[in-house]
Amino acid sequence: MPDDMSRPLIRGRCEGRSSTHLEAAMSEPGAPVIGILGTGDFSRSLARRLVTSGYQVVVGSRVPKRSQGLFPEEAEVTSQMEAASQADLVFVAVFPEHHSTLVELKPALAGKTLVDVSNGLRINQEGPSNAEQLADLFPESSVVKGFNTISAWMLQVGPRDGSRQVFLCSDSQQAKSLVMQVCRRMGFIPVDMGLLSSSLEIENLPLYLFPSWHLPVLCTVFLFFFFYLYNFTRDVLQPYITAGKSAFYKMPIEIVNVTLPSVALVMLALVYLPGLFAAFLQLWWGTKYNRFPNWLDRWLTRRKQFGLCSFLCAVLHAIYSLCLPMRKSARFKLLDAAVKQVKDGLENSWVDTEVWRMELYLSVGIMALGLLSLLAVTSLPSVAGTVNWREFSFIQSTLGYCALSMATLHAVFYGWNRAFVPDHYRFYLPPTFLLVLILPLTVLLGRLALFVPCVAWQLRRIRRGWEKSKHIRFALPDDEYHNGLEDVSNV
């Protein structure tokens, strides 16, 4: 029975270890010999990708005979010393705690380029990095940090199925250029991160868990629990305490379905609120060259995440709404209403006001969800890369405010005249939609204030370089096709 470890991670179209699995069966003349120290999953995938890219590959193993069956036939598997001696460029694919076992290879690796592909077990903010420690162990070699953000799976299936960027840094420009050539030939895009001192940042990259999502997710969760408890108090707890009526069946569906649109609308308003803060600060300062406060900077850089959280809540609200007629409670309520109508002798229960309210409520809600979907799709890097900046700005700003307006109208039509009915102020708490509308209406009114001609003109001057304290002679263009700097003089 063959050893399972001798099988490739991803099989080709044919069985066995035939060279026909590879895009390139032989190395190209003049290509450097590339060595790999280590025989783990990453080494196997790396060797396969290098062979398909036309490189001659030699793998260094502590037990060459045992590791022979793990690699393509085109790759030579030999001892670590032999691999280090033959290679022009060496990938160090062993765990950082085992780097010290390679010290005996120091003479063979002297003057050669070492690529450290290791990662740490946890985020390291203090240093030194694994690459810097490797450089201390091999002072006569040129150490390049890179390929640690590329997984073995990505190497196997090719860069087209994942991120193509490879972050590289080194104190030797020549060594870094060599690794960049190898990187491009493998189909990846090298990104120069500077000196080896940047290696700590590169090593921490794969260990972060959605760093830009912490604040938006926390905000979404907080708003959900706040509105859920608020709606529970008004719609479930108040009838139970005052009239002994049990409405706890509303908790899984109805209360959640009222909470989700509340969170979605507030989160969408939070996408555009920091932009208004930034505009009014620039108007107050009379310049665009002052730095925003740190909290505003972080808020501005996380608007995409706030918008996607809003989109998620809106989609869930739409799904929950479609499921409302499927509930047993909805059927019982419909039957009870029909029986009551018969008992009361009502022949026609049609109410024009309620019909119009529901028609408008659903219509603007669908439009808001459609615009939110467009915003979410265009925020994807693959889609955003196909449009220019003006198109992207139009979608995210103009259509974004249209989505906020439609969502606000959705809440207004939902409330209709309930804000003026005393019975809807249960426990002296206003209806939920009144709380929800405060922030979106504030954002929309702030946006309208920026459209006032004198305010828009002043903000435009500031964003084109005018400063209130410099007394600069500055004239805006007559049309949008000039650069807008007709006469600029410094005092």
Side-chain angles (χ1 to χ4, degrees):
M1 178 177 175
D3 185 6
D4 290 340
M5 288 298 295
S6 64
R7 300 172 183 170
L9 293 178
I10 301 178
R11 290 189 176 274
R13 296 181 179 178
C14 305
E15 296 294 330
R17 295 174 55 255
S18 172
S19 60
T20 58
H21 298 170
L22 305 175
E23 298 173 12
M26 300 179 62
S27 61
E28 296 184 7
V33 178
I34 298 182
I36 302 175
L37 299 180
T39 55
D41 289 345
F42 187 87
S43 301
R44 296 161 60 185
S45 301
L46 180 60
R48 185 178 183 86
R49 179 54 51 186
L50 287 170
V51 169
T52 61
S53 301
Y55 286 104
Q56 180 181 347
V57 179
V58 54
V59 181
S61 172
R62 289 174 296 178
V63 187
K65 291 184 179 179
R66 186 184 65 184
S67 305
Q68 182 69 45
L70 303 177
F71 292 86
E73 291 179 353
E74 292 77 10
E76 178 185 357
V77 181
T78 181
S79 65
Q80 291 183 339
M81 180 61 74
E82 185 67 22
S85 301
Q86 294 184 30
D88 303 311
L89 182 150
V90 178
F91 282 86
V92 182
V94 299
F95 291 108
E97 56 265 29
H98 301 318
H99 283 172
S100 58
T101 62
L102 305 176
V103 174
E104 61 183 13
L105 306 178
K106 187 179 296 186
L109 295 174
K112 296 183 178 180
T113 298
L114 306 183
V115 183
D116 177 34
V117 300
S118 65
N119 282 314
L121 297 177
R122 60 183 62 87
I123 296 177
N124 180 7
Q125 300 290 0
E126 303 296 332
S129 65
N130 298 335
E132 290 172 323
Q133 296 181 49
L134 184 65
D136 291 337
L137 286 175
F138 298 90
E140 298 180 0
S141 303
S142 300
V143 176
V144 178
K145 183 69 188 184
F147 285 89
N148 62 303
T149 58
I150 303 298
S151 66
W153 169 262
M154 194 179 301
L155 287 171
Q156 283 275 357
V157 300
R160 59 186 177 276
D161 291 337
S163 175
R164 301 179 62 189
Q165 291 186 336
V166 176
F167 301 98
L168 302 173
C169 68
S170 176
D171 291 335
S172 172
Q173 186 61 39
Q174 182 178 0
K176 188 162 49 177
S177 299
L178 177 60
V179 178
M180 284 183 173
Q181 293 176 9
V182 175
C183 184
R184 293 189 184 97
R185 193 160 169 177
M186 293 171 67
F188 294 97
I189 301 174
V191 179
D192 191 346
M193 298 292 289
L195 300 178
L196 197 62
S197 56
S198 302
S199 58
L200 187 63
E201 178 184 354
I202 297 177
E203 290 178 5
N204 286 334
L205 285 177
L207 302 178
Y208 289 120
L209 184 62
F210 304 113
S212 300
W213 288 84
H214 293 168
L215 179 61
V217 170
L218 286 175
C219 189
T220 303
V221 172
F222 171 78
L223 288 173
F224 181 87
F225 278 107
F226 171 78
F227 283 115
Y228 187 89
L229 291 176
Y230 191 87
N231 293 320
F232 173 80
T233 302
R234 295 186 71 259
D235 299 337
V236 177
L237 197 59
Q238 191 269 348
Y240 183 76
I241 293 176
T242 58
K245 182 179 179 181
S246 176
F248 290 94
Y249 70 91
K250 295 182 178 181
M251 293 176 60
I253 300 293
E254 284 194 39
I255 302 299
V256 174
N257 193 42
V258 176
T259 301
L260 286 172
S262 304
V263 178
L265 183 52
V266 173
M267 290 294 290
L268 184 59
L270 290 176
V271 173
Y272 297 98
L273 185 59
L276 295 180
F277 281 153
F280 284 113
L281 278 176
Q282 289 177 341
L283 288 170
W284 176 263
W285 292 332
T287 179
K288 70 172 184 178
Y289 297 108
N290 288 351
R291 284 190 60 88
F292 295 129
N294 290 333
W295 60 268
L296 184 55
D297 270 336
R298 290 193 294 269
W299 193 353
L300 287 168
T301 58
R302 286 161 175 77
R303 288 179 293 178
K304 171 183 174 180
Q305 288 76 14
F306 274 91
L308 291 176
C309 288
S310 172
F311 175 66
L312 173 63
C313 293
V315 171
L316 291 176
H317 169 56
I319 296 174
Y320 269 86
S321 298
L322 291 175
C323 294
L324 288 178
M326 300 170 57
R327 301 169 304 146
K328 288 288 186 181
S329 58
R331 298 177 185 178
F332 290 147
K333 286 183 178 180
L334 185 62
L335 290 174
D336 289 343
V339 171
K340 183 178 179 181
Q341 182 178 347
V342 172
K343 288 182 178 180
D344 295 341
L346 298 177
E347 297 181 358
N348 187 6
S349 59
W350 184 279
V351 180
D352 283 336
T353 303
E354 287 299 314
V355 171
W356 272 103
R357 182 187 75 85
M358 184 57 65
E359 296 295 317
L360 293 172
Y361 165 71
L362 292 176
S363 178
V364 295
I366 294 171
M367 292 177 65
L369 182 59
L371 290 172
L372 271 177
S373 303
L374 180 60
L375 295 176
V377 170
T378 52
S379 68
L380 299 175
S382 58
V383 178
T386 62
V387 296
N388 60 36
W389 172 248
R390 186 176 182 183
E391 294 167 343
F392 182 80
S393 177
F394 172 79
I395 294 173
Q396 295 295 327
S397 180
T398 305
L399 294 187
Y401 274 102
C402 290
L404 180 61
S405 301
M406 291 296 104
T408 303
L409 285 176
H410 184 63
V412 170
F413 287 131
Y414 172 80
W416 203 249
N417 61 346
R418 299 177 188 178
F420 309 103
V421 178
D423 292 341
H424 286 282
Y425 289 81
R426 301 165 187 169
F427 278 162
Y428 301 101
L429 297 175
T432 307
F433 71 89
L434 285 181
L435 295 181
V436 174
L437 286 173
I438 294 174
L439 193 59
L441 289 176
T442 302
V443 173
L444 291 175
L445 290 175
R447 182 63 174 175
L448 289 176
L450 293 179
F451 278 128
V452 175
C454 60
V455 178
W457 176 78
Q458 182 75 349
L459 182 61
R460 187 183 175 197
R461 284 208 306 168
I462 290 173
R463 289 183 172 176
R464 296 184 71 89
W466 179 86
E467 294 184 77
K468 180 172 59 176
S469 61
K470 296 295 184 179
H471 304 290
I472 299 175
R473 293 170 57 196
F474 185 96
L476 287 176
D478 294 332
D479 54 67
E480 61 181 349
Y481 300 104
H482 295 86
N483 61 13
L485 296 178
E486 296 181 2
D487 185 12
V488 177
S489 59
N490 295 319
V491 177

